[in-house]
Amino acid sequence: DQCLRDLRVTDPREDKTRIKKEKDRLLVQCYGWILEDSSFQRWRAKGDTRLLWIKGDPGKGKTMLTMGLIDELASKHRSSTAMLKRLIKFKRPSQSCLLAYFFCQSTRPELNNAASVLRGLIYLLVVQKESLIQHIHKRYKVMGSKMFEGSNSIYTLREILSDILSDSTLPTTYLLVDALDECTFDLSELLHIITDKSLMQRSRVKWMVTSRNLPHIEQFLQPSTISDKVSLELNASHISKAVVAFVDFKMQHLAAVKRYNPNTENEVRQTLRDKAEDTFLWVSLVCKELESVPLYRTKEVLRELPPGLDPLYDRMFNQISAQDDSRTSKYCKDVLRSSTLAYRPLRLEEIAITGGLPLDQFSTVDRVSDIISRCGSFLTVRQNIVSFIHLSAKDYFTLGNGKQIFDGAVEEKNEQMACRLIQAMDMTLCRDMCNLQKPGARILEATGPIQGNILPQIAYACEYWIEHLSACLHDCHGILSDDGKVYYFLQRHLLHWIEAMSLLNKISDAIAAMQKLQSVLAVSNSELLSRIVYDVLRFLMWSGAVVQEAPLQLYHSALLFAPEESFVPRNFKQEMPNWI
């Protein structure tokens, strides 16, 4: 059980449920065509095709198609298993097939790297067939949870997956990975594993992957005797019919909500079909806009709607800029800018600080939620987490016309964001933030107090302030100098920051952050700050395991046993209790 808990970075079944809720209802008419496709049928049959690559432009429905195929393969598996059970009454039948999948998402740190993909696939395989855990456990007994962490973990995971796929008891196994292009770390290593001939030649194992049309992915996934591809652009007639079915589905809801008369309903339906350009996302965004349009303006808006995603994004952005209240327009841009720069989706509580919004005006999540609703459908909120409606929307602000939101160099905005995060921590961090009081209080005792604490508001600041600093190509304003903001922050709040990271269960991330800061300082002239960070890193690596278990040991045993002349005990001697 502990081995499985350490392996699990996410449960892809829960990710699938979340994505389903975020997207429109899954319609058989929108993915059913792939079941009749000759390339898919060759892949699914017990033939030589081991790998199928489905590729297409943004918004063409790749994730929807993947979820449909997962449901299809799962239902066939359930019916085969039920038949076997009827045929073999007294002997437990072997499983007819295994199905494992993973949804990559570039904006979520737990879903955007190759190690997480392999951990997710292995986790689902072991959950379905418990005997496979032997291939993990023989290494886990020696290395423990460390085998799943660090830069070498992907090679350990590759060996484990290879052993699992070589298991003689393994039935037919389907491995599906959606949105390879959103795997932003170690993608090449993942593609090497997926296309490894020694793994692909296992007759019982079938891989299916989806991605955008990107050259660096295509060079790995060229068709061969054991691999094939399906291009959504080359299946335009099927996609076009699927989009028409999607338009009809969306129109049922829209016509009921807006009470369109038959003529208006037909005109809206026809316009959506004509301008969609076979893009599901375009239809979804336009229908969302039409819901808020007064009836008398419906035809006018229909005429103004541009076909294509980028022109639609231009229109949405121009509407934000043209808002009557210039302050609202500015706040929307602040939110969009910080969401674009952020290394993970932000929580509602974090938006005011990361976006630099006036805290007196945005002191509650309902006010923050209201300004997000005015950001032109670029952002969506689910369970208090703010994310872009689609990766193409974020790309619009990093690569497209939306770059104008930065009013200059992105590095400058990263520096400004780093300063805001440091300032927020400086105003908020303190000793014993969750009122644990007892030096031996365990982290488990802090889970309740954290929710009602101010810590969630600065969680992103604590986790990523160093990331934003390292994204600044030049230390323009001396933030990293020996008398700069970072120096004074560490002088005042180092232990408080480590305590906060412990309460967030992020001590290993704190160590990684300090290592990154050390590498940034290696090319600077800040000798004193470099020595301090070196000492802090030693302190963290030595005491991190204890502090992660019991946060307040930071002010007791961690300080007591640190080398007396190093920065941490010298600077924070007053934090030790008098009775020591």
Side-chain angles (χ1 to χ4, degrees):
D1 287 348
Q2 186 59 46
C3 179
L4 267 182
R5 278 195 290 271
D6 289 337
L7 170 67
R8 181 189 186 279
V9 67
T10 184
D11 187 332
R13 295 170 298 187
E14 294 172 4
D15 293 327
K16 178 172 174 280
T17 302
R18 172 180 55 79
I19 293 169
K20 250 184 177 176
K21 286 181 179 176
E22 291 173 355
K23 294 183 177 290
D24 290 289
R25 201 175 92 196
L26 189 62
L27 302 175
V28 176
Q29 300 95 310
C30 293
Y31 71 83
W33 66 269
I34 191 74
L35 303 175
E36 307 302 320
D37 182 86
S38 57
S39 296
F40 174 78
Q41 289 182 338
R42 280 195 300 273
W43 171 80
R44 190 172 181 176
K46 293 182 179 178
D48 292 331
T49 306
R50 308 274 184 267
L51 170 64
L52 181 66
W53 175 33
I54 298 175
K55 68 191 191 89
D57 290 334
K60 295 292 185 182
K62 295 183 294 295
T63 297
M64 180 168 58
L65 193 146
T66 302
M67 290 196 292
L69 290 179
I70 289 170
D71 290 348
E72 179 72 19
L73 292 169
S75 66
K76 294 293 182 188
H77 165 52
R78 283 193 296 269
S79 60
S80 299
T81 303
M83 188 179 295
L84 278 169
K85 284 180 178 176
R86 285 196 296 272
L87 291 171
I88 309 171
K89 293 182 180 177
F90 303 107
K91 181 181 172 184
R92 186 176 177 180
S94 58
Q95 288 165 290
S96 59
C97 77
L98 296 180
L99 171 63
Y101 49 87
F102 194 91
F103 295 92
C104 299
Q105 288 188 284
S106 62
T107 55
R108 292 178 176 265
E110 73 278 15
L111 301 178
N112 69 0
N113 60 87
S116 289
V117 174
L118 297 181
R119 288 170 73 172
L121 294 175
I122 292 168
Y123 178 80
L124 282 190
L125 290 173
V126 172
V127 165
Q128 293 170 79
K129 188 174 175 61
E130 290 179 8
S131 63
L132 296 175
I133 201 169
Q134 62 179 310
H135 302 296
I136 309 172
H137 204 252
K138 63 185 179 186
R139 295 176 177 85
Y140 184 80
K141 283 190 293 187
V142 178
M143 301 169 64
S145 62
K146 296 292 183 188
M147 67 187 278
F148 303 124
E149 301 166 6
S151 56
N152 291 331
S153 63
I154 190 167
Y155 304 108
T156 306
L157 291 163
R158 183 207 178 284
E159 289 175 11
I160 292 170
L161 183 63
S162 179
D163 289 350
I164 287 174
L165 299 184
S166 302
D167 192 298
S168 60
T169 66
L170 195 76
T172 300
T173 299
Y174 297 102
L175 301 174
L176 282 66
V177 182
D178 180 56
L180 276 177
D181 51 286
E182 296 198 42
C183 178
T184 52
F185 297 97
D186 293 327
L187 174 59
S188 294
E189 292 295 338
L190 181 60
L191 285 165
H192 274 298
I193 292 168
I194 291 171
T195 57
D196 186 332
K197 292 245 173 35
S198 64
L199 292 179
M200 284 177 65
Q201 285 170 352
R202 313 276 204 284
S203 60
R204 298 183 300 274
V205 179
K206 303 275 190 175
W207 287 89
M208 191 196 87
V209 298
T210 72
S211 79
R212 296 186 188 189
N213 298 301
L214 297 178
H216 65 278
I217 293 178
E218 184 145 17
Q219 68 183 13
F220 283 93
L221 301 177
Q222 289 292 343
S224 68
T225 54
I226 56 173
S227 63
D228 207 344
K229 70 178 177 182
V230 174
S231 169
L232 299 186
E233 280 69 38
L234 295 180
N235 283 274
S237 61
H238 293 302
I239 302 298
S240 184
K241 289 175 185 174
V243 171
V244 166
F246 186 64
V247 168
D248 291 342
F249 166 71
K250 294 294 286 183
M251 278 306 303
Q252 289 175 8
H253 172 73
L254 191 60
V257 169
K258 301 299 292 183
R259 297 181 181 177
Y260 290 150
N261 62 41
N263 288 338
T264 303
E265 181 179 342
N266 289 333
E267 188 172 348
V268 173
R269 177 182 283 106
Q270 194 57 49
T271 304
L272 293 180
R273 289 178 178 180
D274 292 343
K275 292 188 175 184
E277 294 189 346
D278 298 343
T279 304
F280 293 94
L281 180 60
W282 187 93
V283 176
S284 188
L285 289 171
V286 167
C287 286
K288 186 174 180 182
E289 179 176 344
L290 288 173
E291 278 192 38
S292 61
V293 169
L295 269 177
Y296 74 91
R297 288 198 63 233
T298 301
K299 291 186 179 181
E300 177 191 342
V301 170
L302 286 174
R303 285 194 299 271
E304 293 172 357
L305 284 172
L309 269 182
D310 278 346
L312 181 62
Y313 288 152
D314 285 339
R315 183 173 185 274
M316 287 160 55
F317 185 63
N318 290 336
Q319 286 174 333
I320 292 171
S321 302
Q323 291 187 69
D324 295 336
D325 185 352
S326 59
R327 285 188 308 169
T328 301
S329 175
K330 178 188 178 300
Y331 295 153
C332 285
K333 290 179 180 179
D334 290 338
V335 169
L336 288 167
R337 191 183 301 116
S338 62
S339 297
T340 303
L341 291 175
Y343 289 92
R344 64 155 169 79
L346 298 165
R347 299 181 186 90
L348 281 176
E349 304 99 309
E350 298 167 332
I351 288 285
I353 287 172
T354 56
L357 304 179
L359 296 181
D360 56 333
Q361 294 178 42
F362 292 92
S363 55
T364 59
V365 292
D366 57 327
R367 294 181 182 184
V368 174
S369 188
D370 179 67
I371 201 70
I372 288 169
S373 70
R374 300 174 190 275
C375 289
S377 296
F378 282 111
L379 300 174
T380 182
V381 181
R382 293 276 180 181
Q383 297 178 329
N384 280 0
I385 294 176
V386 183
S387 53
F388 280 98
I389 194 78
H390 192 264
L391 180 61
S392 60
K394 185 172 184 179
D395 287 348
Y396 174 75
F397 290 106
T398 54
L399 305 169
N401 292 338
K403 280 197 296 187
Q404 60 188 286
I405 203 170
F406 291 107
D407 304 322
V410 175
E411 289 80 14
E412 256 182 64
K413 300 303 178 184
N414 263 309
E415 184 182 344
Q416 291 171 14
M417 192 158 176
C419 289
R420 283 200 300 273
L421 300 182
I422 292 171
Q423 183 181 9
M425 291 189 293
D426 187 49
M427 293 168 58
T428 309
L429 289 174
C430 61
R431 178 172 173 154
D432 195 9
M433 290 189 70
C434 288
N435 199 29
L436 294 175
Q437 298 182 357
K438 297 177 183 177
R442 300 287 174 136
I443 187 73
L444 294 174
E445 298 172 42
T447 51
I450 286 176
Q451 300 309 315
N453 193 280
I454 200 168
L455 185 57
Q457 296 178 23
I458 58 164
Y460 182 85
C462 291
E463 293 172 46
Y464 290 100
W465 65 278
I466 291 175
E467 288 284 354
H468 287 283
L469 272 181
S470 65
C472 305
L473 296 181
H474 308 289
D475 183 22
C476 304
H477 298 96
I479 300 174
L480 292 172
S481 64
D482 282 340
D483 59 351
K485 288 185 177 180
V486 172
Y487 173 79
Y488 285 111
F489 172 73
L490 294 178
Q491 287 270 6
R492 291 184 59 187
H493 292 295
L494 170 66
L495 294 189
H496 305 150
W497 173 68
I498 295 174
E499 181 196 332
M501 291 296 276
S502 169
L503 292 166
L504 294 167
N505 204 25
K506 298 283 184 180
I507 284 294
S508 60
D509 290 357
I511 293 171
M514 276 295 149
Q515 288 171 330
K516 177 161 277 193
L517 184 55
Q518 189 178 45
S519 65
V520 170
L521 289 168
V523 293
S524 74
N525 297 319
S526 310
E527 292 183 17
L528 178 57
L529 185 57
S530 294
R531 288 201 302 273
I532 288 172
V533 170
Y534 172 76
D535 265 354
V536 170
L537 191 51
R538 285 198 307 167
F539 177 77
L540 262 173
M541 294 180 79
W542 182 84
S543 61
V546 174
V547 172
Q548 186 59 82
E549 286 290 316
L552 297 189
Q553 283 301 305
L554 187 61
Y555 308 100
H556 296 79
S557 62
L559 275 181
L560 179 63
F561 293 107
E564 287 183 9
E565 293 307 309
S566 62
F567 166 77
V568 180
R570 252 188 313 113
N571 198 67
F572 294 99
K573 205 173 201 175
Q574 74 282 0
E575 293 284 358
M576 275 210 280
N578 297 329
W579 52 265
I580 294 183

